[in-house]
Amino acid sequence: MKVFKNAAILSLVLLSNLVSAHSGLENSTPANGAMLNQLPESVELEFSLPVKLVKLKVIEQSGKLVKVTSAPSKEFKSNFSIELPELEAGKYKVIWVTMGKDAHKMKGEFTFLLNTSDMEKMTHMSDMKKMPVNADGHDHQHK
């Protein structure tokens, strides 16, 4: 009976190590389900362990593929930043595929909604600095 208990405990320890060896998506920017009022400059992915980002797709609500301006890195790392082109208002899906050091592939997806009704002419969040503060077009910042 004692041998059976030891074997069961050992199996649980080994199984928990295998499960924890695979990296998952810890955080993303934009976050899953985010409703944005500003155009994102990039997609940021943070994983729990170093992985290779094998594929990243950004898809418009219509199904059209958005061309990302920088290719995903093939290096093992935990954080990735993929530059985005100018996006129009709408719903977007981000699909990612990673590979761990054990060659196990993982995939996932998340969505975000971009509402730019008041900012149709802006290209990115950095353009906020160029936008007039008041409706009369004057920047009334105090220095």
Side-chain angles (χ1 to χ4, degrees):
M1 188 69 165
K2 190 174 184 177
V3 172
F4 178 72
K5 281 184 183 179
N6 289 340
I9 291 171
L10 182 61
S11 296
L12 287 174
V13 169
L14 289 175
L15 183 60
S16 67
N17 284 340
L18 285 175
V19 170
S20 67
H22 296 292
S23 178
L25 184 64
E26 293 280 315
N27 193 21
S28 70
T29 304
N32 185 29
M35 294 177 61
L36 307 175
N37 290 320
Q38 298 175 337
L39 297 164
E41 293 182 10
S42 62
V43 170
E44 310 284 331
L45 302 172
E46 178 185 339
F47 293 92
S48 57
L49 294 170
V51 294
K52 284 185 181 181
L53 184 58
V54 177
K55 186 186 297 184
L56 182 116
K57 290 187 203 177
V58 179
I59 302 170
E60 293 179 359
Q61 187 172 355
S62 67
K64 182 180 173 185
L65 190 64
V66 174
K67 185 175 181 177
V68 291
T69 56
S70 58
S73 172
K74 302 290 185 183
E75 299 172 28
F76 282 103
K77 54 187 189 175
S78 298
N79 296 299
F80 296 89
S81 179
I82 311 305
E83 195 175 318
L84 291 174
E86 182 176 338
L87 301 175
E88 296 181 13
K91 186 173 183 180
Y92 291 87
K93 181 188 291 188
V94 177
I95 301 172
W96 54 265
V97 178
T98 61
M99 184 173 64
K101 290 184 177 180
D102 63 353
H104 181 252
K105 285 189 178 179
M106 294 183 56
K107 59 184 173 179
E109 62 183 51
F110 61 91
T111 61
F112 65 92
L113 181 64
L114 180 59
N115 177 11
T116 58
S117 59
D118 295 333
M119 301 180 232
E120 290 183 19
K121 299 298 181 194
M122 285 191 220
T123 56
H124 289 294
M125 284 187 246
S126 61
D127 288 339
M128 289 292 290
K129 297 172 188 165
K130 299 174 190 170
M131 185 176 177
V133 175
N134 294 333
D136 64 0
H138 294 99
D139 186 354
H140 297 286
Q141 293 180 4
H142 297 282
K143 297 182 183 194

